[in-house]
Each structure stands twice: as structure tokens, then as C-alpha cells.
Amino acid sequence: MREVRLSMSRLLERAMCAYLSDHGGVPTEQCVNDTLDRLLSMLNKDVVDHCKTSVQYFHVLKAYTQMVGIIACSVNKNGLMKF
């Protein structure tokens, strides 16, 4: 099972990297947001129940945040940061 998790995390990381390199490092498509929403929704149940085997999950999230960095942050009209 570890090999499956590792392969999937590499696939997701490479897909995000390719997408972001083609779009100036900014996630502009709804499908990227949907994917991230799905990944984050897994925290409530799947990751909590299987925390010992969630290394690849957190690696994908870390890799995404490193790729996007502060580029994805913007300031809204109220002066608050929005992601």
C-alpha cells in the first residue's frame, strides 16, 4: 500500500507542478481549487483515522504550498489576506 500512496502523491505533485508552471505559479482554474478542497476535506476523517500512514498526504500539501508560496495570497478590498 505504501507504494500506491507514494505513486499517487508523486503523480499529484507533478501534475500540480506542471499546471502551475504553465499558469505563472497561480492556481486559476476551479479544478485546482476542487482538488485542494477534496484533499483538505480528507483531514476530518481519513487522515485522522490513518495518521501513521499519511506521510505522503502531508508531503503533497507541503509541496503545493512551496510551489505556490505567497504568489497565491492576495489582499481583498478590506485589506485582509485572501487565499
Side-chain angles (χ1 to χ4, degrees), residues 17 24 28 32 56 82:
C17 184
T28 57
V32 176
Q56 291 82 16
K82 179 176 75 172

Side-chain angles (χ1 to χ4, degrees), residues 6-26:
L6 187 58
S7 295
M8 190 63 188
S9 70
R10 286 180 181 165
L11 177 66
L12 277 171
E13 182 181 348
R14 290 178 182 156
M16 289 186 296
C17 184
Y19 172 84
L20 291 170
S21 67
D22 287 344
H23 291 86
V26 178

Side-chain angles (χ1 to χ4, degrees), residues 33-52:
N33 291 334
D34 292 343
T35 302
L36 288 173
D37 284 343
R38 179 66 184 131
L39 283 171
L40 292 174
S41 71
M42 292 172 67
L43 274 172
N44 292 336
K45 176 82 174 130
D46 301 319
V47 176
V48 171
D49 291 345
H50 307 349
C51 62
K52 290 183 180 181

Side-chain angles (χ1 to χ4, degrees), residues 46-62:
D46 301 319
V47 176
V48 171
D49 291 345
H50 307 349
C51 62
K52 290 183 180 181
T53 57
S54 297
V55 173
Q56 291 82 16
Y57 171 83
F58 289 110
H59 176 76
V60 168
L61 293 178
K62 178 184 171 226

